[in-house]
Amino acid sequence: MEDPLLPSGSRRRRGGESSGVGRRESGALNNVLVGRRGEAITKGDNYQKAAAMVDQAEDGVGLPMEVLEQADFEEAAKLYFAYIRLDFLWDLNLAALLLLNFFEVPLWCKGSFSNPCGDREKFFLGGFPYLTRYESLIFETVILLILGVSTFFPIVIIGNKLFWKNKLDLARASLFLILALDTVVNAIYVIPSGFIVSLPFRLAPYLRVALVIVNTRGLRDCVRTLVGVIPEFVDIAALLGLYLLFSSWLAYVLFEDTVQGNIVFTTYSTTLYQMSILFTTSNNPDVWLPAYKSSRFTSLFFILYILFGVYFIMNLILAVVYDSFKGQLAKLLINEEDKRQRVLGAAFSLLDDQRRGYLDARQCAKLFGELNKYRTLPKIADDDMEAVFYALDDSGDLKINRAEFADLCSAIALKFDKAEEPSWFEQYPAFYNSDTLNYVKTFVRSRVFEKVVIGMLLINAVAVFIETTLDIEDSSSQRFWQDIEFFLGWLYVVEMLLKVLVYGFNNYWRSLQNQFDFIITVTIVVAETAAFISPTDLPFFSNEEWIRYLLICRLLRLTRLLVLVERYKVMVSTFFKLIPNLMPYLGIVFCLMCLFCSLGVHLFGGLVYAGNPILEGTTMFENDYLLQNFNDFQSGMVTLFDLLIMGNWQIWMDVSFWSFGIVRSRRWVLVGSRLIAFIC
């Protein structure tokens, strides 16, 4: 057998030198065990430093290139990696900063702490406990101190000049200082001897959200992308505004001196308000029923209005936003790739110390071994190293030049098919190659066997559904279906043993599906068998509740049906790939909700309560919508979620804005409500 191109990390190299941890390199620090990026850059040899830089390129965060290009960057690197080792603390602190909104007493509450906002049932408050104003101040001060350290410590690393030139660091510092000033004002208000006797408004709830965004990379990128969309969105938004203005004017003129005009379209501002709601279809068809009752032909006006607005203008808006978003995202990716290539270039230069312009197989093998120490990068198995090298070597000359090295991170992420390992049963060829076992192997590898297993799963699903229903009804027929489940459990054991026999345990265990099947099957069978043999002596194993949950988990194997259809298989895999990419955008939605919730609590806090004569007889009162309010942050977030899906949003606007006289002008009511609904 030919020697492999790249020596694996587990084999000994000539001269007693190991290619794994602890190998000796001439001209480098001896016996340096480097498991962290900081130690690699500050103490390691060139390969360890290069591996750390590759990890930084993949991770997207690290020392600025201005620092890496300095001759004495090791000292700055020590401080930097000491700083990022506390990332978990900075992240927890940001989470605590945002969650503080949920536990603070709203500013409108002036009562004693036992009931600072009055009776919870009367004001329909959330279920979270409140912190006292002193406790909130203490927590906020501690959080602020930790935030100050995380904000200004980079000055020690990169220097005062680079820190204040960086726009991101400048934004963090500015927001922090404003929040600190707001906290000082709040402290003067909370302290009894303070000269501030009333505090109707605070900037803190809004600044907390802003600080979370600027300190979270994924959220920052989302905001940068969304802000870039705005200029290209202005013209299409203007078209939408003109359409609403013109359609409302036309409706006001057409239905003058009619029942519709006398009841609904009484003024132009009212018509604009009602037509704006109709654009979202929330009040359809209620708003035009008076006109429709008078003449059936009037429905054509409203149908054309909805068709053109919803199915043309809204789709046009979606197309413009998508195209602009795609362009902004492409710019962001280009910038990220440019940063990655700069770091990879520095790593390549570090390895190419002889300035040959390429890396050979030996150098790549050493680098791959070092890369396995980093969690950001996928692990490179020993038998995959050669495949990764060939994936990089586009020219086929067994040399990796600078251009080929640029694809290193992508090549590492490639998945290579593993060759099947010999089964342990092959040590007994007479048994393993017998006619009977060959027939069994052919059957287990066939689609028929897969269909038999799926049939068992379907029968198991029916048995679990019926057995749980009979258990709830306390029927004696439940025992029969429990016996069926017990029998099916042993059939799963037979399935598992057949696969292990045919494929070998190592090959069988490579599949996550098989690992899930193995754990669930063994657990259920052991528990059911123990309960069957001795139901009274082993009460833990005879607990039917948790066994039932395991049976339900077994039914998750039915998802295998989805992968049998190619279209479903693509949809499922796409869904799981989208989840990580969607998380930052869900985070932005949550941050926007926090901003509007703080504004809602400030404007409408304490106005919705049981016994309020203004609310009695309203739609909000009759449908238990009083539970949806902005009396505290917890209730407000639930209310905003309902507004987010545009569910009856005009009811809250009618009651909260007009009935309480918060905003006197109907024109500003329309503008404010549409802004909240549209942005959310």
Side-chain angles (χ1 to χ4, degrees), residues 66-293:
E66 293 85 354
V67 177
L68 287 176
E69 291 169 356
Q70 296 176 3
D72 56 345
F73 72 94
E74 285 85 357
E75 193 63 34
K78 290 180 182 178
L79 295 172
Y80 172 78
F81 290 109
Y83 173 75
I84 65 170
R85 285 194 190 105
L86 296 175
D87 273 349
F88 73 95
L89 177 61
W90 313 140
D91 293 340
L92 288 176
N93 191 60
L94 289 175
L97 182 67
L98 197 58
L99 291 176
L100 187 59
N101 289 333
F102 288 88
F103 299 95
E104 277 187 327
V105 177
L107 289 176
W108 65 268
C109 301
K110 305 298 182 181
S112 60
F113 179 70
S114 57
N115 288 295
C117 303
D119 186 7
R120 280 183 173 269
E121 297 300 325
K122 178 181 178 181
F123 285 90
F124 309 103
L125 301 174
F128 292 172
Y130 292 135
L131 297 171
T132 66
R133 297 198 186 278
Y134 286 106
E135 291 172 343
S136 296
L137 180 61
I138 293 172
F139 275 104
E140 188 171 15
T141 302
V142 173
I143 292 172
L144 204 61
L145 290 174
I146 298 174
L147 184 63
V149 174
S150 65
T151 301
F152 292 103
F153 190 81
I155 294 179
V156 183
I157 301 173
I158 63 177
N160 192 63
K161 184 178 180 181
L162 281 178
F163 179 86
W164 294 108
K165 283 178 59 178
N166 187 286
K167 294 181 180 179
L168 178 60
D169 290 329
L170 183 61
R172 288 172 177 164
S174 301
L175 290 172
F176 170 80
L177 293 175
I178 298 173
L179 179 59
L181 180 61
D182 182 85
T183 304
V184 171
V185 174
N186 181 54
I188 298 173
Y189 166 68
V190 171
I191 297 174
S193 59
F195 56 85
I196 299 179
V197 296
S198 178
L199 190 64
F201 179 75
R202 285 197 67 189
L203 288 173
Y206 311 96
L207 294 172
R208 293 167 187 166
V209 176
L211 280 165
V212 169
I213 292 175
V214 299
N215 283 282
T216 307
R217 181 189 173 199
L219 298 181
R220 278 199 317 270
D221 292 341
C222 289
V223 170
R224 190 180 295 115
T225 303
L226 295 175
V227 170
V229 171
I230 293 176
E232 299 184 30
F233 175 72
V234 171
D235 55 347
I236 197 66
L239 175 63
L240 173 60
L242 291 174
Y243 177 71
L244 291 175
L245 291 172
F246 176 76
S247 300
S248 302
W249 172 82
L250 189 60
Y252 180 60
V253 173
L254 288 177
F255 295 102
E256 184 185 8
D257 296 330
T258 65
V259 177
Q260 180 77 19
N262 294 330
I263 298 177
V264 184
F265 295 160
T266 55
T267 63
Y268 177 68
S269 59
T270 303
T271 306
L272 177 60
Y273 160 70
Q274 294 291 349
M275 294 293 284
S276 298
I277 297 176
L278 182 60
F279 187 81
T280 65
T281 68
S282 291
N283 61 352
N284 183 65
D286 299 343
V287 68
W288 50 276
L289 282 181
Y292 184 64
K293 185 177 181 180

Side-chain angles (χ1 to χ4, degrees), residues 57-58 60 217 329-345 402-403 405-410:
E58 178 65 16
R217 181 189 173 199
L329 189 61
K331 292 180 182 178
L332 183 64
L333 293 176
I334 290 173
N335 291 334
E336 293 296 324
E337 183 62 23
D338 180 63
K339 293 178 182 177
R340 173 189 288 189
Q341 293 306 321
R342 291 178 64 190
V343 178
L344 287 176
R402 174 64 186 86
F405 190 79
D407 298 328
L408 177 62
C409 294
S410 300

Side-chain angles (χ1 to χ4, degrees), residues 462-523:
V462 174
V464 171
F465 293 153
I466 296 177
E467 189 271 331
T468 51
T469 303
L470 294 175
D471 181 32
I472 294 173
E473 297 174 355
D474 199 17
S475 173
S476 59
S477 302
Q478 174 192 3
R479 184 63 184 175
F480 170 74
W481 293 99
Q482 286 179 338
D483 293 339
I484 292 179
E485 292 174 2
F486 181 74
F487 174 72
L488 288 172
W490 279 102
L491 287 182
Y492 290 126
V493 174
V494 173
E495 176 218 358
M496 180 182 66
L497 293 176
L498 286 175
K499 286 185 175 180
V500 171
L501 174 65
V502 172
Y503 296 105
F505 185 80
N506 290 336
N507 299 323
Y508 171 84
W509 194 253
R510 283 178 182 173
S511 170
L512 293 177
Q513 176 72 48
N514 289 338
Q515 294 177 21
F516 175 80
D517 294 346
F518 180 88
I519 295 172
I520 293 294
T521 299
V522 171
T523 305

Side-chain angles (χ1 to χ4, degrees), residues 236-473:
I236 197 66
L239 175 63
L240 173 60
L242 291 174
Y243 177 71
L244 291 175
L245 291 172
F246 176 76
S247 300
S248 302
W249 172 82
L250 189 60
Y252 180 60
V253 173
L254 288 177
F255 295 102
E256 184 185 8
D257 296 330
T258 65
V259 177
Q260 180 77 19
N262 294 330
I263 298 177
V264 184
F265 295 160
T266 55
T267 63
Y268 177 68
S269 59
T270 303
T271 306
L272 177 60
Y273 160 70
Q274 294 291 349
M275 294 293 284
S276 298
I277 297 176
L278 182 60
F279 187 81
T280 65
T281 68
S282 291
N283 61 352
N284 183 65
D286 299 343
V287 68
W288 50 276
L289 282 181
Y292 184 64
K293 185 177 181 180
S294 301
S295 174
R296 300 297 190 268
F297 293 103
T298 57
S299 62
L300 293 175
F301 171 80
F302 296 100
I303 291 173
L304 290 175
Y305 170 78
I306 294 175
L307 287 176
F308 187 76
V310 175
Y311 296 103
F312 177 73
I313 292 184
M314 287 304 296
N315 286 331
L316 184 62
I317 290 175
L318 178 62
V320 170
V321 170
Y322 171 75
D323 185 67
S324 179
F325 175 81
K326 187 172 63 174
Q328 294 298 321
L329 189 61
K331 292 180 182 178
L332 183 64
L333 293 176
I334 290 173
N335 291 334
E336 293 296 324
E337 183 62 23
D338 180 63
K339 293 178 182 177
R340 173 189 288 189
Q341 293 306 321
R342 291 178 64 190
V343 178
L344 287 176
F348 182 85
S349 300
L350 213 76
L351 296 177
D352 186 23
D353 51 358
Q354 298 181 6
R355 299 297 180 264
R356 297 181 299 176
Y358 67 87
L359 304 179
D360 56 30
R362 181 186 62 83
Q363 291 173 303
C364 289
K366 293 180 181 179
L367 177 63
F368 294 161
E370 294 296 334
L371 291 177
N372 278 337
K373 299 175 182 177
Y374 294 94
R375 58 172 178 81
T376 305
L377 297 164
K379 298 298 180 185
I380 309 175
D382 291 341
D383 50 355
D384 282 346
M385 289 186 178
E386 188 169 343
V388 173
F389 181 85
Y390 281 123
L392 284 174
D393 187 19
D394 297 330
S395 59
D397 57 359
L398 302 182
K399 299 176 182 178
I400 306 300
N401 56 38
R402 174 64 186 86
E404 293 170 337
F405 190 79
D407 298 328
L408 177 62
C409 294
S410 300
I412 294 173
L414 293 176
K415 302 295 183 182
F416 302 98
D417 293 333
K418 302 288 185 181
E420 289 191 0
E421 298 181 12
S423 172
W424 178 81
F425 295 100
E426 292 187 28
Q427 299 179 20
Y428 307 94
F431 166 74
Y432 192 76
N433 298 319
S434 63
D435 294 338
T436 302
L437 193 58
N438 284 334
Y439 175 80
V440 171
K441 288 188 288 186
T442 303
F443 173 68
V444 172
R445 297 177 187 272
S446 67
R447 297 294 297 272
V448 176
F449 182 77
E450 182 73 16
K451 293 178 180 178
V452 170
V453 175
I454 291 174
M456 290 165 49
L457 287 168
L458 292 174
I459 296 174
N460 199 173
V462 174
V464 171
F465 293 153
I466 296 177
E467 189 271 331
T468 51
T469 303
L470 294 175
D471 181 32
I472 294 173
E473 297 174 355

